[in-house]
Structure formats: structure tokens, C-alpha cells
Amino acid sequence: MGCCGSAERPKREWKPLEDRSCTDLPWFLLFTLFLVGMCGICGFTIMTGGAARLVFGYDSYGNTCGQRNEPIEGVRLSGLDHTDRKFVFFLDPCNIDIIQRKIKSMALCVSQCPTEELATYHDLKRFAMINGSELCSYELPGHKYPQLPERFEKCPKLPVPESKALPVFNRCTPVDISCYAKFAEAVVTFVSDNSMLNRLIAGVAASKEIIVGLCLLALVLSMILMVIIRYISAVLVWILTALVVLGSLGGTSVLWWLYIDYRITMNETMTKDLRETEEPIDGIKTTEDHAQGLLIYAVSATVFTGILLLLMLFMRKRVALTIALFHVAGKVFIHLPLLALQPFYTFLALSLFWVYWIMVLLFLGTTGNPEKNEDTGLVEFRLTGALQYMTWYHAVGLIWISEFILACQQMTVAGAVVTYYFTRDKTKLPVTPILSSVLRLVRYHLGTVAKGSFIITLVKIPRLILMYIHNQLKGKENACARCMLKTCICCLWCLEKCLNYLNQNAYAATAINSTNFCTSARDAFMILVENALRVATINTVGDFVLFLGKILIVTCTAFAGVLALNYQRDYTEWVLPLIIVCLFAFLVAHCFLSIFEIVVDVLFLCFAIDTKYNNGTHGREFYMDKALMFLKMPTLSFPCKHPIRESLKPVMSCACAVHVRYVDMHSTCRF
């Protein structure tokens, strides 16, 4: 289970898709045991009654509604038979603790929720006599409600609002939710009773069909962009390059113009002042300092612009590589259209897991030993002793399993792209490359994915803990402590991003050569270091192009939303619907273009491996697409009658930028 051994590493011979074997099997077993522990927590909450107490509800004496209960030591009125009392009724349902987010009221199990408003204790008595549902504490007889002195403490607060049981959780909830006005007011204190909030909600309700339609439009636009981005990437990249160059030149020119203008004005002013007085002027030194500052800024901008222009000149071929990778990535989505559905599968898997996780967390909230609260006299269930660590275990499971699902997506996409790249004849691709990649993942590489996701979890947990501490100490810590916390959080965030990128390339290396996680990460890291400038170019230029793609989708969706809402003249409030649509459009675009980004990164790793270990000679032919053929680092050498050279004749004949030299002594053609 160790990461890297100390033995001398043999020379790697990449054999794409040839040999397959199980990788990181100990980590697969460890992850399986962890999953068993997660299921054990769920089973524990069900066996100890936590799940039943959450679903069916329980009263303030520890009795679960709808079933026979065992007595609890030291708690009166516990151990009652509530088989016929299936609903939870709160004596004061509007007494909400906003801080603790719970109802501070005695709860009872009743056979029926009040179906009408009960204004007096005589109404409570009548309801108990007719329906057999006693709404006061169990020890109070229903026919004596109006005369009992305990009615003020152990009966519901009058008037009792009409209630209705929730569909699943059997809680009596007031039909008129106006009693929650204080809670709503605390949430939206900036809104008056009949102003902006009502209009915004009305606008959303009135335009719900348009919102759904615009969300579907954003989905379609994202899928279309993944295919056509290869045609517009060149334009976007060169526009970006031109803007950066022109912006740098313009900024430098403005600084020099300001310095020269300031210098001329300063000289004229100094000459005029010296003629009027013979004493030195105090402001002359300040003026010279300003001029000196402008000169420093102008010189710095000139140096920066010069370096930037040299970098642009030096990196132009690497920018062309980014464009070519985008072009090939578009072809990948044409040959593997099911790649576009990966965000749906991942979102579905994450949603199902998160629903399960939240459900078990709620079960844990009602699991444990019953304890009587000395302040309120109510019974609460709390985890004590070693059982408290189940919550922490469950929290770690949220992070690790979520990262595992995301890593499975990365490995699946990487496997499909690797299959595409290293298949020379694209007509002989598997019928379902995505399914083949999933099957390889499940059969061979789940341990690798578990190990990579665990490494991300180890970095994410300390960062989340530090963020929690920072939020808890907000306004209490000194400036030094606040700065140190933010620095640690930022460093951990940067480390997490770097590890995510390295993990993604490690998964691609595993998909190529079927090596374990650490060997794949080491090999991928060496490839990335050897191509550091290209990696930097792809990550900067490529990320910016994808960001522009996201902005394009959001802008088109918002424009369509404005037109649609303007067409319906009765819609008075557009702000909230447009915000919802734009947020959804950006989220969808981010999910889809993230898949595109993974494809580009995997293609680059395959390209770098291809150019390093192949040279186009017999037995070492290139796998790369024609669009990448002229962008490799080493010189490509082909025999004059080589089939690759023959296939490139149309490309060579129409591109004067391609120079062909025939070297007779070696019988090769060099590009």
C-alpha cells in the first residue's frame, strides 16, 4: 500500500491497451471495508430505532408514534402503547428556535391532527370526545380539560390552528403558515410584507414554463458547443492573443505618454516658479518623486511587454497545439457522442449518494441513548461514548465517496479517449467505447480510483476544518491569526487543485498502460515536466477559451430569456427568473465543458507519449491525428514510401508552411 518504492525504476515501455491487470488491489479492499462501515452505520440506526423515530416521529417522553414502546428508566410516561396514535402533534408549533433550527415545544403522539381551529378548552374537550384524539398531555383526561389547572402548561397554546399531516413523516403541520412569520422575517428581513419578495415570487411562478424551457436551451447549447468549439477555438485563441498584446502595448504607451507629459509640465512649472522667486521651492522634491514613480512604472511595463512579446513569439507553436487539441477533441465527441452524457450519469450517481447520506445523517440525529433535558424536561436522543465517532466517520464518507464518483468519471472518460487515440483505424473502434471503459474500470482499476480519491480527501478535510474554525472565530481572532488561517486555507486549496490535475493524468496513464496509481502518477508527472511550457499554454489559453464558452452559453440563454419574457407582457418581474436561468446555464456549461477539458488533457498526455516513444518508422508509427502531426517536438521521420507520408500528401500539397526535405542517404523524409 506504500506509494513509491526505493528500488531502481526500470525504463518504462508504454504498451497502450495491450496488457491489463488489477491495480492497487489493497486500496480496493480498504475502500470496500470503508463502504461496509458506511452501510453498518445505516444498519445501526435502523436496528436501534433511529430510522423509525425519524419517519414515524416520537413524543417528548421518548415514545415512538404508531408502535408499542419499551419504558425508559427515569422517564415518566415512557413505554406507552401508541399503536393507534400515529401522528406527532406540537403543543406550540410556532415556537421555532431559529439558531438551533428546531421547534421548541412539547410533542405528543395523537390519533388525529386537528381538522379545524380550536379556540377554547371546551373545543379541545369536544375534539377529544368526538375523534378520540387527546391533544393535551397523556395524564390529563380529555373530559376534564376546561377544569384542570395544569391545562396552561400541558395543553396546546390557544387557539390551536387547523393542521394537516405531512405525507411521509406524520407531523401535524398548521395549514395556515402565517405563524411562521417571525421565522420568515428573520430570514428575509430586508423585505416588507407586500413589496419586492411577493413580486419576485409571483414572477417566478408566472414564468416557470419559460424558466424550464430556457434551462433546456442551456443544456442543448452546451452539448452543441462541445462539438463546434473546435471550429471557433482558433478565432477565440488568436483574439485573446491579440487583445493581450495590444493591451500590453497600449498600457505601456500610455504610461510613457503620462511620464513625458508630466515631465514637460513639471519643467515649465519649475522654470516659471524659479523666475518669480530665488528661494528653493518645497514642492519641487514632491513633483520629482511623482515623475520618478511614473518612470519606474513605465520602465516596468516596458520590460513586462518585452517579455510578453518574446513569450508570445516563443509560444506561438504551443498555442497552435492548443488549437489542434481542441480540434481533435471535437472529433472525439463526434466518434464518441455518449461522452456528452457523462455529466448526467455523474450527477445522478452523486444525487443518489447525497440523498442516502442525508437520510442516514437524519437517522443519526434520532439515534442514541435517551437523555432528559434538565432545562425543558423533554427527552432527547444523543450519541454518547464511542458512538459519537460514527458522525465523523459518516462525514469522511461524504467526501471520500463523492471524490470517488468524480474520479470514476475521470477514469471512464480517460479510458474512452485513450481507446480512441490509440486505435489507428477509427472505423474499428469498439461499438461502445464508453461501456468498454466502464467495464475495464470496474474489473481492473477501482483500487486506483479509490487511492486517488483518498489522497484528495486527505487534503480536503483539513481545509474544511480550517474553514469551519475561521467562520467560528470570525470577529474574535486577531489579524495575525486570521492571516495565518487564510494562508493555510489557500495553500491547501492550491495543493488540492494540483493533486486533482495530477490524479487526472495518473488515471489516463493507468488507462494507457494498466499500472498502479503511484507508478502512473510518477510517469505522468515526468511527461508533464518534460512538456512544462506546453502544459502551461494549454492550461492558460485552453481554460480561458472554455471560460469564454461558458460566458457565451450564459449570454445566449439570458438573451433568449429577455426575448421570451418581453414577449409575455404580463410578466412584471424578470430579475429572479433571469438569475435562476443564468445560474443554471453556467452550472450546465461548467459540467459539460469540464468533460471537454478532461478530453483535451488526456489527448495531450497521449500526444506527448506518442511523440516521445514513436518516431514514425516501421514498428514505431505514430497514433496521432493529422491535425497534430506537425506540432510534435521531435522531427518526424518517415520512409519515403511510408503509408503515413502517403496519407499526408494532400496536406503537404496545400500548405506552403510545411517544408519537406528528402534525405536520400537515409531514405527518409523529414518534416
Side-chain angles (χ1 to χ4, degrees):
M1 290 169 60
C3 189
C4 298
S6 58
E8 183 178 355
R9 176 192 174 200
K11 183 178 179 181
R12 165 70 54 218
E13 292 192 10
W14 295 79
K15 297 180 180 179
L17 308 177
E18 291 186 10
D19 300 322
R20 286 287 149 194
S21 60
C22 293
T23 56
D24 297 295
L25 186 58
W27 280 93
F28 170 71
L29 297 176
L30 177 63
F31 185 70
T32 303
L33 291 175
F34 184 83
L35 291 180
V36 171
M38 292 286 290
C39 295
I41 292 177
C42 180
F44 175 81
T45 59
I46 295 175
M47 295 299 294
T48 55
R53 281 190 285 270
L54 175 68
V55 175
F56 301 114
Y58 62 97
D59 61 17
S60 297
Y61 306 106
N63 301 299
T64 302
C65 299
Q67 65 183 40
R68 187 184 299 273
N69 297 275
E70 297 294 330
I72 301 173
E73 184 179 356
V75 179
R76 66 183 186 90
L77 298 178
S78 62
L80 301 179
D81 184 3
H82 285 334
T83 306
D84 297 329
R85 298 175 177 178
K86 300 180 179 180
F87 303 100
V88 180
F89 174 74
F90 297 96
L91 300 189
D92 188 5
C94 299
N95 185 10
I96 299 176
D97 186 350
I98 298 177
I99 304 300
Q100 299 296 329
R101 297 178 293 278
K102 63 181 181 180
I103 298 177
K104 295 175 60 177
S105 169
M106 177 181 289
L108 300 173
C109 294
V110 298
S111 58
Q112 183 179 342
C113 299
T115 55
E116 58 182 346
E117 183 178 273
L118 306 176
T120 65
Y121 292 106
H122 289 282
D123 293 336
L124 291 177
K125 173 185 175 181
R126 177 176 53 83
F127 183 79
M129 294 295 100
I130 296 176
N131 300 291
S133 181
E134 299 179 348
L135 303 182
C136 295
S137 186
Y138 305 129
E139 71 270 24
L140 303 183
H143 62 281
K144 295 183 178 181
Y145 284 167
Q147 296 84 27
L148 294 174
E150 299 94 338
R151 65 184 184 276
F152 300 106
E153 292 83 17
K154 297 184 179 181
C155 285
K157 182 180 178 181
L158 298 178
V160 179
E162 178 186 355
S163 301
K164 187 176 182 180
L166 294 177
V168 177
F169 295 98
N170 299 330
R171 268 71 169 179
C172 294
T173 307
V175 175
D176 182 9
I177 60 173
S178 60
C179 67
Y180 299 126
K182 293 184 178 180
F183 179 74
E185 183 180 351
V187 177
V188 286
T189 54
F190 66 96
V191 180
S192 59
D193 291 337
N194 53 1
S195 62
M196 185 178 297
L197 181 61
N198 292 331
R199 290 160 55 194
L200 290 177
I201 295 176
V204 172
S207 57
K208 55 182 180 298
E209 295 86 359
I210 292 181
I211 292 176
V212 173
L214 291 174
C215 291
L216 292 177
L217 175 64
L219 188 64
V220 173
L221 289 177
S222 299
M223 299 178 70
I224 294 175
L225 183 63
M226 293 174 68
V227 178
I228 68 171
I229 196 171
R230 64 177 178 142
Y231 301 111
I232 64 175
S233 59
V235 177
L236 294 177
V237 168
W238 293 120
I239 288 177
L240 168 64
T241 304
L243 289 176
V244 171
V245 172
L246 293 177
S248 301
L249 291 174
T252 303
S253 302
V254 168
L255 285 173
W256 278 112
W257 177 78
L258 289 174
Y259 169 72
I260 294 173
D261 182 70
Y262 192 86
R263 197 74 185 179
I264 293 173
T265 305
M266 183 186 68
N267 290 337
E268 292 176 354
T269 304
M270 289 176 60
T271 302
K272 181 179 178 180
D273 292 341
L274 288 174
R275 289 175 181 174
E276 294 177 357
T277 178
E278 297 180 356
E279 297 180 1
I281 302 175
D282 295 336
I284 293 179
K285 187 176 185 305
T286 303
T287 305
E288 290 180 349
D289 290 341
H290 291 168
Q292 190 70 20
L294 278 174
L295 178 61
I296 293 174
Y297 294 148
V299 172
S300 301
T302 303
V303 173
F304 173 79
T305 302
I307 295 174
L308 183 63
L309 292 176
L310 291 175
L311 284 175
M312 289 293 183
L313 182 64
F314 183 67
M315 304 274 286
R316 67 187 188 281
K317 290 186 178 180
R318 293 169 176 81
V319 173
L321 172 62
T322 304
I323 298 173
L325 287 173
F326 272 64
H327 182 79
V328 178
K331 290 184 179 180
V332 172
F333 281 97
I334 292 176
H335 285 86
L336 310 177
L338 292 181
L339 274 180
L341 300 180
Q342 285 303 303
F344 292 108
Y345 302 144
T346 304
F347 178 76
L348 178 62
L350 286 174
S351 299
L352 292 176
F353 169 67
W354 289 340
V355 168
Y356 165 81
W357 188 88
I358 293 174
M359 180 184 68
V360 176
L361 182 66
L362 294 176
F363 289 170
L364 284 173
T366 55
T367 301
N369 300 318
E371 294 184 359
K372 187 175 182 179
N373 191 317
E374 299 298 334
D375 297 330
T376 61
L378 308 180
V379 174
E380 299 176 354
F381 291 88
R382 296 177 181 175
L383 293 172
T384 57
L387 297 180
Q388 300 179 65
Y389 297 105
M390 288 197 301
T391 305
W392 290 102
Y393 188 97
H394 194 60
V396 173
L398 171 66
I399 301 173
W400 191 3
I401 298 177
S402 297
E403 292 295 331
F404 177 83
I405 294 173
L406 294 174
C408 286
Q409 173 187 269
Q410 294 175 350
M411 178 68 89
T412 301
V413 174
V417 175
V418 165
T419 301
Y420 171 85
Y421 187 96
F422 289 105
T423 301
R424 299 188 190 278
D425 188 358
K426 306 306 180 188
T427 61
K428 296 182 179 179
L429 284 169
V431 179
T432 55
I434 305 294
L435 181 59
S436 300
S437 179
V438 172
L439 293 178
R440 286 199 303 270
L441 166 63
V442 173
R443 183 176 180 182
Y444 297 110
H445 305 310
L446 284 179
T448 299
V449 173
K451 187 173 185 178
S453 57
F454 181 76
I455 292 174
I456 300 299
T457 304
L458 287 181
V459 179
K460 190 183 287 287
I461 289 176
R463 182 172 67 86
L464 294 177
I465 292 175
L466 289 178
M467 290 176 63
Y468 175 78
I469 294 174
H470 180 264
N471 291 330
Q472 293 297 314
L473 298 179
K474 187 173 292 184
K476 301 178 182 178
E477 78 280 15
N478 55 35
C480 182
R482 183 168 59 251
C483 181
M484 290 181 63
L485 277 174
K486 289 184 177 179
T487 302
C488 293
I489 293 172
C490 182
C491 291
L492 289 173
W493 181 84
C494 294
L495 178 61
E496 181 183 336
K497 293 300 178 183
C498 293
L499 289 176
N500 265 319
Y501 183 73
L502 182 60
N503 280 9
Q504 178 181 305
N505 286 277
Y507 299 146
T510 298
I512 295 173
N513 228 27
S514 192
T515 50
N516 61 51
F517 176 81
C518 286
T519 302
S520 299
R522 182 173 55 192
D523 293 338
F525 179 76
M526 295 305 297
I527 294 291
L528 296 176
V529 169
E530 293 171 2
N531 298 269
L533 291 178
R534 289 184 167 187
V535 172
T537 305
I538 292 171
N539 285 336
T540 52
V541 178
D543 288 352
F544 186 79
V545 171
L546 294 178
F547 175 75
L548 290 180
K550 297 173 188 177
I551 298 301
L552 177 64
I553 292 174
V554 173
T555 304
C556 292
T557 307
F559 180 71
V562 171
L563 293 180
L565 292 172
N566 185 56
Y567 178 74
Q568 300 290 339
R569 296 294 180 180
D570 56 329
Y571 296 160
T572 57
E573 292 297 336
W574 297 356
V575 177
L576 193 55
L578 282 179
I579 290 176
I580 294 174
V581 168
C582 289
L583 289 177
F584 181 83
F586 186 83
L587 178 62
V588 170
H590 175 74
C591 292
F592 278 91
L593 293 182
S594 295
I595 298 296
F596 192 91
E597 183 179 5
I598 295 174
V599 172
V600 171
D601 290 336
V602 175
L603 283 174
F604 172 73
L605 185 68
C606 295
F607 169 76
I609 293 170
D610 196 13
T611 55
K612 181 176 181 180
Y613 294 98
N614 296 314
N615 58 10
T617 60
H618 180 67
R620 298 179 64 186
E621 295 86 358
F622 289 105
Y623 292 92
M624 66 184 68
D625 190 270
K626 295 176 183 178
L628 298 170
M629 194 66 72
F630 306 110
L631 299 170
K632 72 287 163 278
M633 286 187 295
T635 300
L636 295 180
S637 300
F638 304 116
C640 286
K641 298 298 182 181
H642 196 278
I644 292 183
R645 177 183 175 272
E646 295 296 328
S647 66
L648 290 177
K649 280 184 178 180
V651 181
M652 294 186 291
S653 61
C654 64
C656 61
V658 180
H659 178 62
V660 184
R661 291 189 291 117
Y662 292 89
V663 186
D664 295 333
M665 60 184 301
H666 296 292
S667 298
T668 59
C669 303
R670 296 182 182 272
F671 294 83

